[in-house]
Every structure is written in C-alpha cells, then in structure tokens.
Amino acid sequence: MFQLRQLLPSDYPAVISVLNLWWGGRHMTDMLPKLFFHHFHNTSLIMEKEGELVAFLVGFISPACSEEAYIHFVGVHPDYRRQGLAGHLYQRFFDIVSKQGCRTVRCLTSPSNRRSIQFHSRLGFQLIPSRTLLEGIPIHKDYDGPGRDRVLFVKEMD
Amino acid sequence: MFQLRQLLPSDYPAVISVLNLWWGGRHMTDMLPKLFFHHFHNTSLIMEKEGELVAFLVGFISPACSEEAYIHFVGVHPDYRRQGLAGHLYQRFFDIVSKQGCRTVRCLTSPSNRRSIQFHSRLGFQLIPSRTLLEGIPIHKDYDGPGRDRVLFVKEMD
C-alpha cells in the first residue's frame, strides 16, 4: 500500500510545495533549502501511496563524526498521521546508517512540541540533560540562536 | 595579524550574535542552525584578529557524493571587507577538501548579489547554465522553493 524509497534531489519541488501546508500554515521552507536534498539524499527517504507523497525523512551521517547520524526533518501528510509512518521512516533510517557504521542518532525539537517529545521517547531516544527544566523537560536555551530553545535527543543503537 | 583556524561547535554563539549585523540587519540566522557547526566543523573555518571574530566559512564534503564539496555560508566583518579575507578562506577550504579527495566545489547566491557573482567568477567558479537569463546571468528559478531563485556556481579543482 505504501511505497518507501530513497529520496531524490528531483523530489524537492513536490516536498517543498506541501511543507507549509503540512505544518498547518507555519513558514517551514527556510529550514529546508535544496542543499539537504542535493547532498543528503543517500540517507533520506520518501514514502508514497499510489504516487502521492505521504511522508519523508531528511537525515545524514555527520561528516565531522562518522559514527553519528542526524535527522533534520520529518513530515507526514495530515491525512496519514497516527498510523506509524514516521516511526517506520525512523526505523529504516536507523537500519541504513547503522549498516554504514553509525552508533548514535541525534535530532531535536521545540520545547512546545510535546507530541514530538513523546514520539522520540517511545522510539528509544534519550533527552540530553540540561540545568534548565520546563515542566520537567530539559531545555537547551538559545541552542539555535537567541530565543531558539531546543530539546535535544540522542539514541544509541545496538 | 589574522589567525585562521578550524571552526568549533563552541564558536556558534559568537558567530550567530553578529550574523544579522554583518548582513546589514537582514534576518540571516534561520539559514545557519547549529547543526552546521555540530556536523560540519571539520571543514569549516574561523578567522580572528586579536581574539575578535573577523570572518568565517561553513562548508562540508557531500555525504551523497564524496568528490564534491559545498560552501554554505561565508561572512566577513564589515570593517574588514575588501582585504581578500573571503578569498583566503575559500582557498584554504579548497586545500582542505581537495586533500580529502574532492574534485568539485559548489555554492550559490541570490541573483541580486552581483558582487558575490563577480567574487566567485574571480575565484574560478563557473556559472551553471540555465534557460532563464537575467541581464545575462543564468538564473535557476525557484531553486530553493517558490520565489527563491538562485545563481549556481561550480568549480572544478586541479
């Protein structure tokens, strides 16, 4: 029913055209310039149903640390949420990067995104500790610049 | 007089704090999340004068194509422009990535940035052809998403 394949640079217009829509109108396209498709497509994934884009994951193996992978962006079509598609993409990414020698996967989210924090915890990600806590969640203040606090995740793979 | 060294993830707050200022107040910080420092610091550079940040370059070797490198972001302190510092950073980057097997370096700019186009041409970059020309310059329409036209550069190294 769902087809999972490696992302291609030519998928860029299709993904970018739905991005803000899938995020409920938020302006997200700045976070995903084409360089991510051009240079990281070998570890990134597209999920389709009858040729229609339903989910994607953009991630890469760190050039600075070859045992570490990073998941930058994951999106699921609003009509296909709560079916485990994102979890499936993550698991496939873990397979791809662990076969290439990665031991660790990192990603991050906004402190307000409690659903994302629960999702990553279920997948076995640990929250990286911080002295700053918000309702019990460790927050890394100004991580992505002034006012851009983040929750940081890390998962050690078996 | 100027000290050139590898960029470190811990340089992030210093760079991000001057970014919008160096770009004349434009909002640039979205283009440089910390992931670029965390994962690409091994091929990125900082230039300092008596401990003060005067220039930086963020670039990486493509995980998808190990013979190709990409320069994402280069900044020079307004008081230190027109002294060849950016060119010096590019040359050092060429040295670093060619020693690691790269044959090609890519980067891009906005069509309105004529100074950047001249700078890259002087450094030996070719403009990637396009059917769309603007005052003789090949423009890649919507390259980074709708309305985000780009001029694309490529340099083949000896």
Side-chain angles (χ1 to χ4, degrees), chain A residues 65-147:
Chain A
C65 175
S66 62
E67 291 192 354
E68 193 171 305
Y70 181 74
I71 296 174
H72 176 57
F73 222 99
V74 180
V76 177
H77 189 303
D79 293 349
Y80 295 94
R81 288 184 187 160
R82 301 176 164 272
Q83 299 182 30
L85 299 191
H88 194 62
L89 288 172
Y90 272 71
Q91 294 292 353
R92 183 63 71 95
F93 181 78
F94 298 158
D95 290 346
I96 291 168
V97 299
S98 62
K99 276 182 189 146
Q100 293 183 52
C102 285
R103 309 282 298 273
T104 302
V105 177
R106 290 180 189 272
C107 52
L108 54 75
T109 197
S110 297
S112 61
N113 197 340
R114 294 305 158 111
R115 187 167 286 172
S116 171
I117 296 168
Q118 290 163 10
F119 167 79
H120 286 93
S121 298
R122 280 200 306 276
L123 277 177
F125 282 90
Q126 307 292 317
L127 280 67
I128 297 182
S130 169
R131 276 174 294 190
T132 306
L133 297 176
L134 185 68
E135 297 170 23
I137 303 292
I139 307 295
H140 297 260
K141 293 289 288 178
D142 302 325
Y143 182 84
D144 266 337

Coordinates of all heavy atoms in Angstrom, one line a residue, chain A residues 65-147:
Chain A
C65 N 31.7 13.5 12.3 CA 31.8 12.3 13.2 C 31.1 11.2 12.5 O 29.8 11.1 12.6 CB 31.2 12.6 14.6 SG 31.1 11.2 15.6
S66 N 31.8 10.3 11.9 CA 31.2 9.3 11.0 C 30.4 8.2 11.8 O 29.7 7.4 11.1 CB 32.3 8.6 10.2 OG 33.2 7.9 11.0
E67 N 30.5 8.2 13.1 CA 29.7 7.2 13.9 C 28.4 7.8 14.3 O 27.6 7.2 15.0 CB 30.5 6.7 15.1 CG 31.7 5.9 14.7 CD 32.2 5.2 15.9 OE1 31.8 5.4 17.1 OE2 33.1 4.3 15.7
E68 N 28.1 9.1 13.9 CA 26.9 9.8 14.3 C 26.1 10.2 13.1 O 26.5 10.7 12.1 CB 27.4 11.0 15.1 CG 26.3 11.7 15.9 CD 26.9 12.8 16.7 OE1 27.9 12.6 17.5 OE2 26.5 14.0 16.6
A69 N 24.7 10.0 13.3 CA 23.8 10.4 12.3 C 22.9 11.5 12.8 O 22.7 11.6 14.1 CB 23.0 9.2 11.7
Y70 N 22.3 12.3 12.0 CA 21.4 13.4 12.4 C 20.1 13.4 11.5 O 20.2 13.3 10.3 CB 22.1 14.7 12.2 CG 21.3 15.9 12.7 CD1 21.1 16.2 14.0 CD2 20.7 16.8 11.7 CE1 20.3 17.2 14.4 CE2 20.0 17.9 12.1 CZ 19.8 18.1 13.5 OH 19.0 19.2 13.9
I71 N 19.0 13.4 12.2 CA 17.7 13.5 11.5 C 17.3 15.0 11.5 O 17.0 15.5 12.6 CB 16.6 12.6 12.1 CG1 17.1 11.1 11.9 CG2 15.3 12.8 11.4 CD1 16.2 10.1 12.6
H72 N 17.2 15.6 10.3 CA 16.9 17.1 10.3 C 15.4 17.4 10.2 O 15.0 18.3 10.8 CB 17.7 17.7 9.1 CG 17.4 19.1 8.9 ND1 17.6 20.1 9.9 CD2 16.9 19.8 7.8 CE1 17.3 21.3 9.4 NE2 16.8 21.1 8.2
F73 N 14.7 16.6 9.4 CA 13.3 17.0 9.1 C 12.5 15.7 8.7 O 12.9 14.9 8.0 CB 13.4 17.9 7.8 CG 12.5 19.1 7.9 CD1 13.0 20.3 8.2 CD2 11.1 18.9 7.6 CE1 12.1 21.4 8.3 CE2 10.3 20.0 7.7 CZ 10.8 21.3 8.0
V74 N 11.4 15.6 9.4 CA 10.4 14.5 9.1 C 9.0 15.1 8.9 O 8.6 15.9 9.8 CB 10.5 13.5 10.2 CG1 9.5 12.3 9.8 CG2 11.9 12.9 10.4
G75 N 8.3 14.7 7.9 CA 7.0 15.2 7.7 C 6.1 14.1 7.3 O 6.5 13.2 6.5
V76 N 4.8 14.2 7.7 CA 3.8 13.2 7.4 C 2.5 14.0 6.9 O 2.1 14.9 7.6 CB 3.4 12.2 8.5 CG1 2.3 11.3 8.1 CG2 4.7 11.5 9.0
H77 N 2.0 13.6 5.8 CA 0.7 14.2 5.3 C -0.3 14.1 6.4 O -0.5 13.1 7.1 CB 0.3 13.3 4.1 CG -0.9 13.9 3.3 ND1 -2.1 14.2 3.9 CD2 -1.0 14.2 2.0 CE1 -2.9 14.7 3.0 NE2 -2.2 14.7 1.8
P78 N -1.0 15.2 6.7 CA -2.0 15.3 7.7 C -3.1 14.1 7.7 O -3.5 13.7 8.8 CB -2.7 16.6 7.6 CG -1.7 17.5 6.9 CD -0.9 16.6 6.0
D79 N -3.4 13.7 6.5 CA -4.4 12.6 6.4 C -3.9 11.2 6.8 O -4.7 10.3 6.8 CB -5.0 12.5 5.0 CG -5.8 13.7 4.6 OD1 -6.1 14.6 5.5 OD2 -6.1 13.9 3.4
Y80 N -2.6 11.1 6.9 CA -1.9 9.8 7.2 C -1.2 9.8 8.5 O -0.3 8.9 8.7 CB -1.0 9.5 6.0 CG -1.7 9.3 4.7 CD1 -1.9 10.3 3.8 CD2 -2.3 8.0 4.4 CE1 -2.5 10.1 2.6 CE2 -3.0 7.9 3.2 CZ -3.1 8.9 2.3 OH -3.8 8.8 1.1
R81 N -1.6 10.6 9.4 CA -0.9 10.6 10.7 C -1.5 9.6 11.6 O -2.6 9.0 11.3 CB -1.0 12.0 11.4 CG -0.1 13.0 10.6 CD 0.0 14.4 11.1 NE 0.8 15.2 10.2 CZ 0.8 16.5 10.1 NH1 0.0 17.2 10.9 NH2 1.5 17.1 9.2
R82 N -0.8 9.3 12.7 CA -1.3 8.3 13.7 C -1.4 6.9 13.1 O -2.2 6.1 13.5 CB -2.6 8.7 14.4 CG -2.4 10.1 15.1 CD -3.7 10.6 15.7 NE -3.4 11.6 16.6 CZ -3.2 11.4 17.9 NH1 -3.2 10.2 18.4 NH2 -2.9 12.4 18.7
Q83 N -0.6 6.6 12.1 CA -0.6 5.2 11.5 C 0.8 4.6 11.6 O 1.1 3.6 11.0 CB -1.0 5.3 10.0 CG -2.4 5.9 9.8 CD -2.8 5.8 8.3 OE1 -2.3 5.0 7.5 NE2 -3.6 6.8 7.9
G84 N 1.7 5.3 12.3 CA 3.1 4.7 12.5 C 4.0 5.0 11.3 O 5.1 4.4 11.3
L85 N 3.7 5.9 10.4 CA 4.5 6.1 9.2 C 5.9 6.8 9.6 O 6.9 6.4 9.2 CB 3.8 7.0 8.2 CG 2.5 6.4 7.6 CD1 2.1 7.3 6.4 CD2 2.7 5.0 7.2
A86 N 5.8 7.8 10.5 CA 7.0 8.4 10.9 C 8.0 7.4 11.6 O 9.2 7.4 11.4 CB 6.7 9.6 11.9
G87 N 7.4 6.6 12.5 CA 8.2 5.6 13.2 C 8.8 4.6 12.2 O 10.0 4.2 12.4
H88 N 8.1 4.3 11.2 CA 8.6 3.4 10.1 C 9.8 4.0 9.4 O 10.8 3.4 9.2 CB 7.5 3.1 9.2 CG 7.8 1.9 8.3 ND1 8.0 0.6 8.7 CD2 7.9 1.9 6.9 CE1 8.3 -0.2 7.7 NE2 8.2 0.6 6.6
L89 N 9.7 5.3 9.1 CA 10.8 6.1 8.5 C 12.0 6.1 9.4 O 13.2 5.9 8.9 CB 10.4 7.5 8.1 CG 9.4 7.7 7.0 CD1 8.9 9.1 6.9 CD2 10.0 7.3 5.7
Y90 N 11.8 6.4 10.7 CA 12.9 6.4 11.6 C 13.6 5.0 11.6 O 14.9 4.9 11.6 CB 12.5 6.8 13.0 CG 12.4 8.2 13.3 CD1 11.5 9.1 12.7 CD2 13.3 8.8 14.2 CE1 11.4 10.4 13.0 CE2 13.3 10.2 14.4 CZ 12.3 11.0 13.9 OH 12.3 12.3 14.1
Q91 N 12.8 4.0 11.7 CA 13.5 2.6 11.8 C 14.3 2.3 10.6 O 15.4 1.7 10.7 CB 12.4 1.5 12.0 CG 11.6 1.6 13.3 CD 12.5 1.3 14.5 OE1 13.6 0.9 14.4 NE2 11.9 1.5 15.7
R92 N 13.8 2.7 9.4 CA 14.5 2.4 8.2 C 15.8 3.3 8.2 O 16.8 2.8 7.7 CB 13.6 2.8 6.9 CG 14.3 2.5 5.6 CD 14.6 1.0 5.4 NE 13.4 0.2 5.2 CZ 12.9 -0.1 4.0 NH1 13.6 0.3 2.9 NH2 11.8 -0.8 3.9
F93 N 15.7 4.5 8.6 CA 16.9 5.4 8.7 C 17.9 4.7 9.7 O 19.1 4.7 9.4 CB 16.5 6.8 9.2 CG 17.7 7.7 9.3 CD1 18.2 8.3 8.2 CD2 18.3 8.0 10.6 CE1 19.3 9.2 8.3 CE2 19.4 8.9 10.7 CZ 19.9 9.5 9.5
F94 N 17.5 4.2 10.8 CA 18.4 3.5 11.8 C 19.1 2.4 11.0 O 20.3 2.2 11.2 CB 17.7 3.0 13.0 CG 17.0 4.0 13.8 CD1 15.9 3.6 14.7 CD2 17.3 5.3 13.8 CE1 15.2 4.5 15.5 CE2 16.7 6.3 14.6 CZ 15.6 5.9 15.4
D95 N 18.4 1.6 10.3 CA 18.9 0.5 9.5 C 20.0 1.0 8.6 O 21.1 0.4 8.5 CB 17.9 -0.3 8.7 CG 16.9 -1.0 9.5 OD1 17.2 -1.2 10.7 OD2 15.8 -1.4 9.0
I96 N 19.7 2.0 7.8 CA 20.6 2.5 6.7 C 21.9 3.0 7.4 O 23.0 2.6 6.9 CB 19.9 3.6 5.9 CG1 18.8 3.1 5.1 CG2 20.9 4.4 5.1 CD1 17.9 4.2 4.5
V97 N 21.8 3.8 8.4 CA 23.0 4.4 9.0 C 23.8 3.5 9.8 O 25.0 3.5 9.9 CB 22.7 5.8 9.7 CG1 22.1 6.8 8.7 CG2 21.9 5.6 10.9
S98 N 23.1 2.5 10.5 CA 23.9 1.6 11.3 C 24.7 0.6 10.4 O 25.8 0.2 10.7 CB 23.0 0.8 12.3 OG 22.0 0.0 11.6
K99 N 24.1 0.3 9.2 CA 24.9 -0.5 8.3 C 26.1 0.2 7.8 O 27.1 -0.4 7.3 CB 24.0 -0.9 7.1 CG 23.2 -2.1 7.4 CD 22.3 -2.5 6.2 CE 21.3 -3.6 6.6 NZ 20.1 -3.5 5.8
Q100 N 26.1 1.5 7.9 CA 27.3 2.3 7.4 C 28.2 2.7 8.6 O 29.1 3.6 8.5 CB 26.8 3.6 6.7 CG 26.2 3.2 5.3 CD 25.7 4.4 4.5 OE1 26.5 5.3 4.3 NE2 24.5 4.5 4.1
G101 N 28.0 2.1 9.8 CA 28.9 2.3 10.9 C 28.4 3.2 12.0 O 29.2 3.5 12.9
C102 N 27.2 3.8 11.9 CA 26.8 4.8 12.9 C 26.4 4.0 14.2 O 25.8 3.0 14.1 CB 25.6 5.6 12.4 SG 26.1 6.8 11.2
R103 N 26.7 4.6 15.3 CA 26.3 4.1 16.6 C 25.3 5.0 17.3 O 24.6 4.5 18.2 CB 27.5 4.0 17.5 CG 28.7 3.3 16.9 CD 28.6 1.8 16.9 NE 28.5 1.3 18.3 CZ 29.5 1.0 19.0 NH1 30.7 1.0 18.5 NH2 29.4 0.5 20.2
T104 N 25.2 6.2 16.8 CA 24.4 7.2 17.5 C 23.5 8.0 16.5 O 24.0 8.3 15.4 CB 25.3 8.2 18.2 OG1 26.2 7.5 19.1 CG2 24.6 9.3 19.0
V105 N 22.3 8.3 16.9 CA 21.5 9.2 16.1 C 21.0 10.3 16.9 O 20.6 10.1 18.1 CB 20.2 8.4 15.5 CG1 19.3 9.4 14.7 CG2 20.7 7.3 14.6
R106 N 21.1 11.5 16.4 CA 20.7 12.7 17.1 C 19.5 13.4 16.4 O 19.5 13.4 15.1 CB 21.8 13.7 17.3 CG 22.9 13.3 18.2 CD 24.0 14.3 18.3 NE 25.1 13.7 19.1 CZ 25.2 13.8 20.4 NH1 24.3 14.4 21.1 NH2 26.3 13.2 21.0
C107 N 18.7 14.1 17.1 CA 17.7 15.1 16.5 C 17.3 16.0 17.6 O 17.7 15.9 18.7 CB 16.6 14.3 15.8 SG 15.8 13.1 16.8
L108 N 16.4 16.9 17.2 CA 16.0 17.9 18.2 C 14.5 18.4 17.9 O 14.0 18.1 16.8 CB 16.9 19.1 18.3 CG 17.3 19.9 17.0 CD1 16.1 20.7 16.5 CD2 18.5 20.7 17.2
T109 N 13.9 19.0 18.8 CA 12.6 19.6 18.6 C 12.4 20.8 19.5 O 13.3 21.2 20.2 CB 11.5 18.6 18.9 OG1 10.2 19.0 18.3 CG2 11.2 18.4 20.4
S110 N 11.3 21.5 19.3 CA 11.0 22.7 20.1 C 10.4 22.3 21.4 O 9.7 21.3 21.5 CB 9.9 23.6 19.3 OG 10.5 24.1 18.2
P111 N 10.7 23.0 22.5 CA 10.1 22.6 23.8 C 8.6 22.5 23.8 O 8.0 21.8 24.6 CB 10.6 23.8 24.7 CG 11.8 24.3 24.0 CD 11.6 24.2 22.6
S112 N 7.9 23.3 23.0 CA 6.5 23.3 23.0 C 5.9 22.0 22.3 O 4.7 21.8 22.5 CB 5.9 24.5 22.2 OG 6.4 24.5 20.9
N113 N 6.7 21.3 21.6 CA 6.2 20.2 20.8 C 6.2 18.9 21.6 O 7.0 18.0 21.5 CB 7.0 20.0 19.5 CG 6.3 19.1 18.5 OD1 5.4 18.4 18.8 ND2 6.7 19.2 17.3
R114 N 5.2 18.8 22.6 CA 5.2 17.7 23.5 C 4.9 16.4 22.8 O 5.4 15.3 23.2 CB 4.1 17.9 24.5 CG 4.4 19.1 25.5 CD 5.8 18.8 26.1 NE 6.4 20.1 26.6 CZ 6.5 20.3 27.9 NH1 6.2 19.5 28.8 NH2 7.2 21.5 28.3
R115 N 4.1 16.4 21.7 CA 3.9 15.2 20.9 C 5.2 14.6 20.3 O 5.4 13.4 20.3 CB 2.9 15.5 19.8 CG 2.4 14.2 19.1 CD 1.2 14.5 18.2 NE 0.0 14.6 19.0 CZ -1.2 15.0 18.6 NH1 -1.3 15.3 17.3 NH2 -2.2 15.1 19.3
S116 N 6.0 15.5 19.8 CA 7.3 15.1 19.3 C 8.2 14.5 20.4 O 8.9 13.5 20.2 CB 8.0 16.3 18.7 OG 9.4 16.0 18.3
I117 N 8.2 15.1 21.6 CA 9.0 14.6 22.7 C 8.5 13.2 23.1 O 9.3 12.3 23.3 CB 8.9 15.6 23.9 CG1 9.5 16.9 23.5 CG2 9.6 15.0 25.1 CD1 9.3 18.0 24.5
Q118 N 7.2 13.0 23.1 CA 6.7 11.6 23.4 C 7.1 10.6 22.3 O 7.5 9.5 22.6 CB 5.1 11.7 23.6 CG 4.7 12.4 24.8 CD 3.2 12.8 24.7 OE1 2.5 12.4 23.8 NE2 2.8 13.6 25.7
F119 N 7.0 11.1 21.1 CA 7.3 10.2 19.9 C 8.7 9.7 20.0 O 9.0 8.5 19.9 CB 7.0 11.0 18.6 CG 7.6 10.3 17.4 CD1 6.9 9.3 16.8 CD2 8.8 10.8 16.8 CE1 7.4 8.7 15.6 CE2 9.3 10.2 15.7 CZ 8.6 9.1 15.1
H120 N 9.6 10.7 20.2 CA 11.1 10.3 20.3 C 11.4 9.4 21.5 O 12.2 8.5 21.4 CB 11.9 11.5 20.3 CG 12.0 12.2 18.9 ND1 11.1 13.2 18.5 CD2 12.8 11.9 17.8 CE1 11.4 13.6 17.3 NE2 12.4 12.8 16.8
S121 N 10.7 9.7 22.6 CA 10.9 8.8 23.8 C 10.5 7.4 23.5 O 11.2 6.4 23.9 CB 10.2 9.4 25.0 OG 10.7 10.7 25.3
R122 N 9.3 7.2 22.9 CA 8.8 5.9 22.5 C 9.8 5.1 21.6 O 9.9 3.9 21.7 CB 7.5 6.0 21.8 CG 6.3 6.2 22.7 CD 5.0 5.8 22.0 NE 4.7 6.4 20.8 CZ 4.2 7.7 20.6 NH1 3.8 8.3 21.7 NH2 4.0 8.2 19.4
L123 N 10.5 5.9 20.7 CA 11.4 5.3 19.8 C 12.8 5.0 20.4 O 13.7 4.5 19.8 CB 11.7 6.2 18.6 CG 10.6 6.1 17.5 CD1 11.0 7.1 16.4 CD2 10.6 4.7 16.8
G124 N 13.0 5.3 21.7 CA 14.2 4.9 22.4 C 15.2 6.1 22.5 O 16.4 5.9 22.9
F125 N 14.8 7.3 22.1 CA 15.7 8.4 22.2 C 15.7 8.9 23.7 O 14.7 8.9 24.4 CB 15.2 9.6 21.4 CG 15.5 9.5 19.9 CD1 14.6 8.9 19.0 CD2 16.7 10.0 19.4 CE1 14.9 8.8 17.7 CE2 17.0 9.9 18.1 CZ 16.1 9.2 17.2
Q126 N 16.9 9.3 24.2 CA 17.1 9.9 25.5 C 17.1 11.4 25.3 O 17.5 11.9 24.3 CB 18.4 9.5 26.1 CG 18.6 8.0 26.2 CD 17.7 7.3 27.1 OE1 17.5 7.8 28.2 NE2 17.1 6.2 26.7
L127 N 16.6 12.1 26.3 CA 16.6 13.6 26.3 C 18.0 14.0 26.9 O 18.3 13.5 28.0 CB 15.5 14.2 27.1 CG 14.1 14.3 26.4 CD1 13.5 12.9 26.1 CD2 13.2 15.1 27.2
I128 N 18.7 14.8 26.2 CA 20.0 15.2 26.7 C 19.8 16.2 27.9 O 19.0 17.2 27.7 CB 20.9 15.9 25.6 CG1 21.2 14.8 24.5 CG2 22.2 16.5 26.2 CD1 22.0 15.2 23.4
P129 N 20.4 15.9 29.0 CA 20.1 16.7 30.2 C 20.6 18.2 30.1 O 21.4 18.5 29.3 CB 21.0 16.1 31.3 CG 21.3 14.7 30.8 CD 21.3 14.8 29.3
S130 N 19.9 19.0 30.9 CA 20.2 20.4 30.9 C 19.9 20.9 32.3 O 19.1 20.4 33.0 CB 19.4 21.2 29.9 OG 19.5 22.6 30.1
R131 N 20.6 22.0 32.7 CA 20.3 22.6 34.0 C 18.9 23.3 34.0 O 18.3 23.6 35.0 CB 21.4 23.6 34.4 CG 22.5 22.9 35.1 CD 23.6 23.9 35.4 NE 24.2 24.4 34.2 CZ 25.3 25.1 34.1 NH1 26.0 25.4 35.2 NH2 25.8 25.5 33.0
T132 N 18.5 23.7 32.8 CA 17.2 24.4 32.6 C 16.1 23.3 32.4 O 16.2 22.6 31.4 CB 17.2 25.4 31.4 OG1 18.3 26.2 31.6 CG2 16.0 26.2 31.3
L133 N 15.1 23.3 33.2 CA 13.9 22.4 33.0 C 12.7 23.2 32.8 O 12.5 24.3 33.4 CB 13.8 21.5 34.3 CG 14.9 20.6 34.6 CD1 14.6 19.8 35.9 CD2 15.2 19.6 33.5
L134 N 11.8 22.8 32.0 CA 10.5 23.4 31.7 C 9.4 22.3 31.9 O 9.4 21.4 31.0 CB 10.4 24.0 30.3 CG 9.2 24.8 30.0 CD1 9.0 26.1 30.8 CD2 9.1 25.1 28.5
E135 N 8.7 22.3 33.0 CA 7.7 21.3 33.3 C 8.4 19.9 33.2 O 7.9 18.9 32.7 CB 6.5 21.3 32.3 CG 5.7 22.6 32.5 CD 4.7 22.8 31.4 OE1 4.3 21.8 30.8 OE2 4.3 23.9 31.1
G136 N 9.6 19.8 33.8 CA 10.4 18.6 33.9 C 11.2 18.2 32.6 O 11.9 17.2 32.6
I137 N 11.0 19.0 31.6 CA 11.7 18.7 30.3 C 13.0 19.5 30.2 O 13.0 20.7 30.4 CB 10.8 19.0 29.1 CG1 9.5 18.3 29.1 CG2 11.6 18.8 27.8 CD1 9.6 16.8 29.0
P138 N 14.2 18.8 30.0 CA 15.4 19.6 29.8 C 15.5 20.4 28.6 O 15.3 19.9 27.5 CB 16.5 18.5 29.8 CG 15.8 17.3 29.4 CD 14.4 17.4 29.8
I139 N 15.7 21.7 28.7 CA 15.6 22.7 27.6 C 17.0 23.3 27.4 O 17.6 23.7 28.4 CB 14.7 23.9 28.0 CG1 13.3 23.4 28.4 CG2 14.6 24.9 26.8 CD1 12.5 22.7 27.4
H140 N 17.5 23.3 26.2 CA 18.8 23.9 25.9 C 18.5 25.3 25.4 O 18.1 25.5 24.2 CB 19.6 23.0 24.9 CG 19.9 21.7 25.5 ND1 21.1 21.4 26.0 CD2 19.1 20.6 25.8 CE1 21.1 20.2 26.6 NE2 19.9 19.7 26.4
K141 N 18.7 26.3 26.2 CA 18.4 27.7 26.0 C 19.2 28.2 24.8 O 20.5 28.0 24.7 CB 18.7 28.6 27.2 CG 17.9 28.3 28.4 CD 16.4 28.8 28.2 CE 16.3 30.3 28.3 NZ 14.9 30.7 28.1
D142 N 18.6 28.9 23.9 CA 19.3 29.6 22.8 C 20.1 28.7 21.9 O 21.1 29.1 21.3 CB 20.1 30.8 23.3 CG 19.3 31.8 24.1 OD1 18.2 32.0 23.7 OD2 19.9 32.3 25.1
Y143 N 19.8 27.4 21.9 CA 20.6 26.4 21.2 C 20.8 26.8 19.7 O 21.9 26.7 19.2 CB 19.9 25.0 21.3 CG 20.8 23.9 20.6 CD1 21.8 23.3 21.3 CD2 20.5 23.5 19.3 CE1 22.6 22.3 20.7 CE2 21.3 22.5 18.7 CZ 22.3 22.0 19.4 OH 23.1 21.0 18.8
D144 N 19.7 27.2 19.0 CA 19.8 27.5 17.6 C 19.8 29.0 17.4 O 19.3 29.5 16.4 CB 18.6 26.9 16.8 CG 19.0 25.5 16.2 OD1 20.2 25.3 16.0 OD2 18.1 24.7 16.0
G145 N 20.4 29.7 18.4 CA 20.4 31.2 18.3 C 19.5 31.8 19.4 O 18.7 31.1 20.0
P146 N 19.6 33.1 19.6 CA 18.8 33.8 20.6 C 17.3 33.5 20.5 O 16.7 33.7 19.5 CB 19.1 35.3 20.4 CG 20.4 35.3 19.7 CD 20.4 34.1 18.8
G147 N 16.7 33.0 21.6 CA 15.3 32.7 21.7 C 14.9 31.4 21.1 O 13.7 31.1 21.1

